[in-house]
Amino acid sequence: MATAAAASASESEAEPKAGPKTEEEVDEVKTARTRRKMLTLELGWDQQEEGVSESDGDEEYAIASSAENSPGEYEWEYDEEEEKNQLEIERLEEQLSINVYDYNCHVDLIKLLRLEGELTKVRTARQKMSEIFPLTEELWLEWLHDEISMALDGLDREHVYELFERAVKDYICPNIWLEYGQYSVGGIGQKGGLEKVRSVFERALSSVGLHMTKGLAIWEAYREFESAIVEAARLEKVHSLFRRQLAIPLYDMEATFAEYEEWSEHPIPELVIQNYNKALQQLEKYKPYEEALLEAEAPRLAEYQAYIDFEMKLGDPARIQLIFERALVENCLVPDLWIRYSQYLDRQLRVKDLVLSVHSRAVRNCPWTVALWSRYLFAMERHGVDHQEISVTFEKALSAGFIQAADYVEIWQAYLDYLRRRVDFRQDSSKELEELRSTFARALEYLQQEVEERFNENGDPSCMIMQNWARIEARLCNNMQKARELWDSIMTKGNAKYANMWLEYYNLERAHGDTQHCRKALHRAVQCTSDYPEHVCEVLLTMERTEGTLEDWDMAIQKTETRLARVNEQRMKAAEKEAALAQQEEEKTEQRKRVRAEKRALKKKKKAPGTDKRKADEDEKEWGDEEEEQPSKRRRMENSVPLAGAAPAMEEEAGLTRKCAAVDVAPPSKQKEKAASLKRDMPKVAHDSSKDSITVFVSNLPYSMGEPEAKLRPVFEACGEVVEIRPIFSNRGDFRGYCYVQFKEEKSALQALELDRKNVEGRPMFVSPCVDKSKNPDFKVFRYSTALERHKLFISGLPFSCTEEELQDICKAHGTVKDLRLVTTRAGKPKGLAYVEYENESQASQAVMKMDGMTIKENVIKVAISNPPQRKVPEKSEARKAPGGPMMPRQIYGARGKGRTQLSLLPRALQRPSGAAPQAENGPAPRPEVATSAATEAPKMSNADFAKLLLRK
């Protein structure tokens, strides 16, 4: 650093004070600036060498000389590259000003600043990143090497020591500890240098000395240091290190024991040999887990989990802590691993500094996980941390960027619980109580403004925070007036229609209020409740029976009867509409059947007298075939190729056509009829459930696949001997996209299940066990998860022309893409949707912020965390027809309790919503709910009026 400054100073002195006037002087100035830049990079930022050799100096001089001889070309190339880097640096700094939690942006900025030689800026950038994120071993070593190369005096050395102390706290890194020990040896000549070196090595042994594969290097470095000190008193220190090391199970223990025998002048004590043999026995127990880690590929989470379970059974705290730390080095973005580690420390060790350190590192690695922040706040309270520090931690949690709106409710609730425990409610007023009330008000304002604006949804639809505030005011502060105001606000937020909300308020009044307000609450509940009005009516009658007067009882009877009569009337109207719609659909179904029958009769009349006149309805169905498809859903078969199994029939049909040079091709319509007749004439296979164990069901195959048996046989013969492949065809001869594959042995069928999702002619083939659903109606095989997947994105609005490769290039810029799937129809046509799976949650959350709203081929896409809506299971028809039971809306279940297949003919103005369905994150926004009053105010119409409305043109 000093050399670079001196070079810069000498160059500046060589320049004339007046501005350059000739072109040669301009070139000389630019060349001098270029040379200063190169000297800064070479002398100040060399990672591998601390000094510059003579040969390096000669090469540098040669480069500078060449730059002087031909400054023009080099200067322009350098200026363009420098300008490009400066623009990129400005862009990265602006991006970080918007989102300071962009990890990759921090890394890119540090690389560019380091390349440009911006000494002050790169230190600042590293400092900011280390305050937000823990740095990896590579980033810390790069930083440390840079600072070591520039350290000149004692103050610089102390600064490097501080960096080492920060580095060893982020992750367990044996290489950093080894660097720390070696660097401290360089300061042994200073005051207290010897004690500093020993302290560093002892701490390194306590941190990574038990590491079975990498701890050996720390032991050897420590022994070499002690052996280099030529003092007789130090020999005992080396003996002690040998004996301590031999008592620990480490790799290459035999070599260490042999080295000790060679080094020691006296026989090894019997106690040392016993400890060594015991450590060897322990090593044999640990070897299977260590070998599993060596054979597996990173991040090896499953192998580490098994290792942790093994160590937890043994119960050695030091080794349990070490294996957790080793696992977190490669799985630092797995929140469940941090939760398990912190939970162990909270319940078992309970050491304040260690517990708080792990909690702090957990939230720095996974800031988007609300459970880690909540546990951190509880741990700080448990260990008596200052209130101001806890408040600062809570503010950091609010700015961490959670994925769901409900996460903000959880962190607010955790902080409010902490504030409530600080209050002494025996006093009427206190500073802590005022802070609690103001924080409740701030929480409600934050959820209403910040959270709803960001997520377009209410994170606390049940108003849990407001309910807790009301309970505290009523139970602990004896302030029922404030509690009633809060409950009034809760009811005005759309909760008045729920019976459970009214009963919560009623119970609060029963415990801390009076009978008058209890009666008032129940009367309001009877009028407003729409989900379970019978329940609140029963509670009101029970209260009046036990506590009210006769007048109160009469009034309660009158109100409940009136309300229940109105409810029953509304249910009857809904049932009538349901029945009318069902009757209309049945009439339309009968009409379609008559039309189809007339068309079949007309076709039979047009056929020649010698053709086959069997009815299609009398055809026997193949094993596993479904009901006959409707004509609107049948696929036309163009240029169909008959199967190999129909060769004898084809020979009879073709006659001598194969012997002729010129073949007369039948019209397409006749080819379809021939193919269909061939499929119908094929022998039908009866279902044999005894062969389910050796049979697999294959689906999602292309409908256009010709000769599926011949194409699928080589695929499945790799799993074992195939007895039979039964493709399923419709009555018209079209391949239906699925088949049954029967093997000779059961193990072959189990191996065939691993072919699930194998690509066959551009579509993923689904392979699942063969199960008779008539005997196992509840058996289902879900192909894709329907739960929240924080590491997977759902993308909508893609152009249909977007290919998988194009989308892959866009997504991989924001992280490692493990899987990408474009959603298509069964015919293979794109839907403009895609699922993208990233390596971890952090990359997925970053991709959401960067890709949402991006324009691809003039299409603005929407990107969200994958959270498909839950599939609704239709209720049984008996439950829907039960008298007095809730009538399910016709729009959901159809006439016979199944999914609808036809369009609704009910005008939109008369449709009634089925309730406030939850908005799906990935699907289109649901239509706004129509007010119930608007539906009830519509004029009453008879069945005849409704029929006229439908027939009106």
Side-chain angles (χ1 to χ4, degrees):
M1 182 175 179
T3 307
S8 177
S10 62
E11 292 293 340
S12 61
E13 290 175 2
E15 295 178 2
K17 295 183 179 180
K21 299 180 180 180
T22 64
E23 295 183 359
E24 294 180 356
E25 292 176 347
V26 172
D27 292 339
E28 289 178 0
V29 172
K30 292 183 178 179
T31 304
R33 292 175 181 173
T34 302
R35 185 161 59 252
R36 287 201 303 272
K37 189 73 171 183
M38 294 170 60
L39 288 173
T40 302
L41 293 175
E42 290 292 332
L43 298 179
W45 295 95
D46 188 3
Q47 293 186 38
Q48 300 177 353
E49 298 179 359
E50 295 184 2
V52 180
S53 64
E54 294 180 0
S55 61
D56 293 339
D58 295 339
E59 293 177 2
E60 180 184 334
Y61 178 76
I63 293 173
S65 299
S66 64
E68 291 178 0
N69 294 332
S70 57
E73 181 180 358
Y74 181 84
E75 174 193 342
W76 283 111
E77 291 179 358
Y78 184 81
D79 288 345
E80 291 177 0
E81 185 67 22
E82 183 180 17
E83 183 179 359
K84 180 180 178 182
N85 290 342
Q86 288 297 332
L87 291 176
E88 182 65 14
I89 289 173
E90 292 176 1
R91 187 192 68 82
L92 292 174
E93 290 177 345
E94 182 180 358
Q95 181 67 24
L96 287 176
S97 65
I98 299 173
N99 179 20
V100 74
Y101 288 94
D102 192 336
Y103 183 89
N104 295 328
C105 193
H106 280 284
V107 175
D108 296 339
L109 179 60
I110 291 172
K111 288 182 179 178
L112 280 177
L113 291 175
R114 191 171 183 271
L115 180 63
E116 289 295 307
E118 300 285 352
L119 308 183
T120 305
K121 289 186 177 181
V122 76
R123 279 177 173 170
T124 305
R126 282 169 167 167
Q127 181 66 26
K128 289 182 178 180
M129 184 179 181
S130 64
E131 291 174 357
I132 301 173
F133 297 105
L135 304 186
T136 62
E137 181 179 356
E138 293 77 12
L139 291 175
W140 271 119
L141 288 176
E142 181 183 76
W143 190 358
L144 290 168
H145 287 160
D146 291 344
E147 296 293 343
I148 289 173
S149 65
M150 293 185 295
L152 299 177
D153 52 15
L155 294 178
D156 291 341
R157 178 170 287 274
E158 289 298 325
H159 174 64
V160 175
Y161 282 151
E162 293 177 2
L163 286 181
F164 269 114
E165 290 295 332
R166 292 172 56 187
V168 296
K169 292 179 181 179
D170 278 350
Y171 300 109
I172 177 173
C173 299
N175 293 333
I176 293 181
W177 276 112
L178 192 60
E179 287 281 345
Y180 194 6
Q182 292 175 352
Y183 181 73
S184 62
V185 171
I188 194 173
Q190 297 180 352
K191 183 179 180 181
L194 181 61
E195 289 74 11
K196 176 70 174 178
V197 175
R198 288 200 174 106
S199 172
V200 170
F201 274 115
E202 287 293 338
R203 291 170 56 203
L205 291 181
S206 64
S207 178
V208 296
L210 298 178
H211 200 301
M212 296 186 63
T213 56
K214 297 183 179 180
L216 180 63
I218 303 294
W219 287 100
E220 291 179 347
Y222 196 5
R223 287 204 317 271
E224 290 176 1
F225 166 73
E226 292 291 349
S227 300
I229 301 177
V230 188
E231 295 182 13
R234 307 306 174 197
L235 295 179
E236 184 59 30
K237 186 70 174 179
V238 179
H239 277 287
S240 175
L241 288 174
F242 267 117
R243 294 167 184 173
R244 289 166 59 189
Q245 180 180 351
L246 292 175
I248 297 174
L250 297 172
Y251 272 34
D252 296 332
M253 291 186 63
E254 297 83 356
T256 305
F257 186 79
E259 182 182 353
Y260 187 29
E261 285 183 323
E262 182 180 354
W263 182 84
S264 178
E265 298 177 355
H266 304 285
I268 299 178
E270 185 63 27
L271 180 61
V272 176
I273 297 177
Q274 292 178 1
N275 292 335
Y276 167 71
N277 292 329
K278 184 178 179 181
L280 281 177
Q281 295 176 0
Q282 293 178 349
L283 180 62
E284 294 301 321
K285 296 180 181 179
Y286 290 115
K287 268 187 176 181
Y289 298 96
E290 293 289 346
E291 291 173 355
L293 290 175
L294 294 175
E295 294 174 359
E297 296 182 358
R300 302 178 285 194
L301 179 59
E303 289 75 14
Y304 276 118
Q305 293 281 15
Y307 206 162
I308 291 172
D309 294 338
F310 174 72
E311 291 286 10
M312 295 282 278
K313 291 179 181 178
L314 297 181
D316 186 351
R319 298 198 65 89
I320 292 174
Q321 182 183 353
L322 175 66
I323 191 58
F324 267 117
E325 294 288 351
R326 289 177 59 184
L328 288 169
V329 171
E330 299 182 12
N331 300 275
C332 59
L333 300 179
V334 180
D336 292 340
L337 191 59
W338 283 107
I339 290 176
R340 187 179 181 186
Y341 186 23
S342 60
Q343 183 176 337
Y344 168 76
L345 296 177
D346 287 335
R347 297 179 179 179
Q348 302 296 329
L349 295 186
R350 300 179 182 179
V351 179
K352 177 180 178 180
D353 294 338
L354 178 59
V355 170
L356 295 182
S357 172
V358 170
H359 279 289
S360 176
R361 292 162 52 205
V363 297
R364 293 179 68 199
N365 280 274
C366 304
W368 64 88
T369 306
V370 67
L372 293 175
W373 287 102
S374 300
R375 289 173 174 272
Y376 191 13
L377 294 177
F378 294 151
M380 296 176 76
E381 181 186 3
R382 191 178 296 115
H383 291 282
V385 178
D386 184 67
H387 171 64
Q388 184 65 28
E389 186 175 348
I390 296 178
S391 300
V392 171
T393 303
F394 169 71
E395 296 298 334
K396 290 181 180 179
L398 286 182
S399 61
F402 298 131
I403 299 177
Q404 299 183 94
D407 293 343
Y408 288 92
V409 179
E410 183 176 346
I411 193 64
W412 272 109
Q413 192 60 61
Y415 185 60
L416 290 168
D417 291 344
Y418 155 72
L419 294 179
R420 192 262 306 166
R421 289 188 285 267
R422 295 181 67 244
V423 179
D424 184 5
F425 290 99
R426 292 173 296 183
Q427 303 177 8
D428 295 337
S429 178
S430 63
K431 180 181 178 181
E432 290 79 8
L433 179 58
E434 294 302 322
E435 182 180 3
L436 175 62
R437 285 172 171 165
S438 63
T439 306
F440 266 115
R442 182 192 167 199
L444 297 178
E445 182 180 0
Y446 185 91
L447 294 176
Q448 182 178 1
Q449 295 181 359
E450 302 291 337
V451 176
E452 291 187 14
E453 180 179 351
R454 176 181 173 186
F455 295 95
N456 293 325
E457 63 174 304
N458 186 3
D460 191 12
S462 300
C463 300
M464 295 303 301
I465 290 181
M466 204 176 297
Q467 288 189 45
N468 292 336
W469 189 4
R471 294 190 188 98
I472 291 174
E473 293 289 351
R475 183 173 60 86
L476 300 176
C477 301
N478 298 320
N479 188 356
M480 276 303 300
Q481 181 63 31
K482 180 64 176 178
R484 292 179 184 123
E485 293 176 1
L486 291 171
W487 269 105
D488 286 339
S489 179
I490 291 173
M491 292 307 181
T492 57
K493 293 183 180 295
N495 293 298
K497 57 185 177 181
Y498 300 116
N500 64 321
M501 300 297 290
W502 284 108
L503 294 180
E504 284 285 340
Y505 178 38
Y506 166 74
N507 291 330
L508 187 69
E509 287 286 356
R510 291 282 294 180
H512 307 286
D514 50 43
T515 305
Q516 180 180 358
H517 284 90
C518 288
R519 181 177 291 109
K520 183 179 179 181
L522 289 178
H523 279 284
R524 291 175 60 192
V526 169
Q527 298 297 327
C528 301
T529 303
S530 60
D531 53 353
Y532 299 105
E534 295 89 350
H535 194 183
V536 293
C537 290
E538 182 180 355
V539 174
L540 175 60
L541 294 176
T542 302
M543 189 194 75
E544 299 296 0
R545 179 180 290 110
T546 57
E547 302 179 15
T549 63
L550 181 59
E551 291 78 8
D552 296 333
W553 170 259
D554 292 337
M555 183 179 295
I557 288 289
Q558 181 181 357
K559 284 195 173 183
T560 54
E561 288 180 350
T562 303
R563 176 58 178 164
L564 293 179
R566 190 183 306 116
V567 169
N568 291 330
E569 182 181 356
Q570 293 174 354
R571 290 174 178 173
M572 289 296 295
K573 290 180 179 179
E576 291 177 359
K577 291 183 178 180
E578 179 76 15
L581 291 173
Q583 183 178 359
Q584 291 176 11
E585 186 163 337
E586 290 177 1
E587 291 176 356
K588 294 181 181 298
T589 303
E590 293 296 332
Q591 184 178 359
R592 286 193 295 268
K593 289 182 179 179
R594 288 195 298 269
V595 171
R596 287 199 297 269
E598 292 175 359
K599 289 182 178 179
R600 284 196 297 267
L602 184 60
K603 289 182 180 179
K604 289 179 181 179
K605 291 180 181 180
K606 293 181 179 180
K607 284 184 179 180
T611 56
D612 186 9
K613 297 183 179 180
R614 291 183 304 171
K615 295 182 179 179
D617 295 339
E618 297 174 357
D619 291 343
E620 296 180 359
K621 295 181 179 179
E622 295 179 4
W623 176 58
D625 202 356
E626 298 178 352
E627 297 179 358
E628 181 185 358
E629 297 180 339
Q630 296 182 3
S632 60
K633 292 189 178 182
R634 291 179 176 173
R635 291 172 173 79
R636 297 181 179 179
M637 191 168 99
E638 298 177 1
N639 300 328
S640 300
V641 181
L643 296 179
M650 286 299 295
E651 291 179 0
E652 295 178 1
E653 294 284 344
L656 301 176
T657 53
R658 293 185 180 178
K659 300 180 181 180
C660 302
V663 182
D664 296 333
V665 181
S669 59
K670 293 185 178 180
Q671 289 184 4
K672 295 178 184 178
E673 294 177 2
K674 288 181 180 180
S677 62
L678 290 176
K679 300 298 183 298
R680 288 194 295 266
D681 293 339
M682 291 177 64
K684 305 300 185 292
V685 181
H687 173 56
D688 187 359
S689 59
S690 62
K691 297 180 180 180
D692 286 350
S693 60
I694 58 174
T695 306
V696 296
F697 176 70
V698 184
S699 59
N700 203 45
L701 296 170
Y703 288 100
S704 59
M705 178 182 286
E707 299 185 2
E709 181 178 1
K711 292 184 178 180
L712 294 176
R713 184 173 290 276
V715 177
F716 287 96
E717 283 182 344
C719 303
E721 183 178 352
V722 177
V723 177
E724 184 182 8
I725 296 180
R726 295 189 293 275
I728 304 303
F729 300 90
S730 66
N731 291 328
R732 299 184 60 185
D734 298 335
F735 178 52
R736 307 194 66 175
Y738 60 92
C739 65
Y740 296 84
V741 181
Q742 179 180 337
F743 293 90
K744 186 176 181 180
E745 299 179 352
E746 183 176 354
K747 64 179 182 180
S748 301
L750 295 176
Q751 187 176 354
L753 296 177
E754 298 179 0
L755 298 177
D756 186 38
R757 301 173 188 261
K758 179 179 177 62
N759 193 284
V760 176
E761 294 190 3
R763 289 179 65 86
M765 172 180 65
F766 294 163
V767 184
S768 57
C770 182
V771 177
D772 187 358
K773 289 190 176 181
S774 63
K775 298 181 180 179
N776 300 276
D778 297 331
F779 176 80
K780 292 182 179 179
V781 180
F782 291 99
R783 295 298 169 188
Y784 301 105
S785 174
T786 58
L788 174 65
E789 298 173 288
R790 299 176 186 269
H791 64 289
K792 185 180 291 186
L793 303 184
F794 174 79
I795 304 177
S796 60
L798 290 170
F800 291 160
S801 60
C802 181
T803 64
E804 185 173 338
E805 291 76 14
E806 293 174 347
L807 186 59
Q808 179 93 11
D809 294 338
I810 296 174
C811 296
K812 70 181 181 182
H814 310 296
T816 304
V817 178
K818 296 180 63 177
D819 186 32
L820 187 147
R821 178 168 60 92
L822 290 175
V823 182
T824 61
T825 63
R826 293 182 64 87
K829 296 182 180 180
K831 289 186 174 182
L833 310 174
Y835 287 91
V836 181
E837 181 180 356
Y838 279 94
E839 189 174 22
N840 51 60
E841 301 175 14
S842 177
Q843 295 179 359
S845 61
Q846 293 296 329
V848 170
M849 291 186 289
K850 295 181 180 180
M851 294 176 58
D852 189 28
M854 179 185 293
T855 302
I856 300 179
K857 296 182 180 180
E858 299 182 356
N859 282 34
V860 179
I861 65 173
K862 293 183 179 181
V863 184
I865 298 296
S866 177
N867 187 19
Q870 297 293 329
R871 296 183 177 179
K872 297 182 179 180
V873 181
E875 298 181 2
K876 297 182 179 180
S877 58
E878 291 80 359
R880 295 174 64 248
K881 295 180 180 180
M887 297 301 297
M888 303 307 297
R890 176 73 185 93
Q891 288 82 352
I892 298 178
Y893 293 101
R896 299 181 178 86
K898 300 180 180 179
R900 298 184 60 203
T901 59
Q902 302 297 325
L903 295 174
S904 174
L905 298 180
L906 182 63
R908 293 181 180 176
L910 300 181
Q911 289 183 356
R912 294 184 61 188
S914 58
Q919 179 181 359
E921 284 192 34
N922 298 338
R927 295 177 179 174
E929 184 178 358
V930 182
T932 307
S933 60
T936 56
E937 291 176 2
K940 298 182 179 180
M941 299 178 65
S942 63
N943 291 341
D945 295 334
F946 186 73
K948 292 179 181 179
L949 181 61
L950 291 178
L951 296 176
R952 185 182 303 166
K953 294 183 179 179

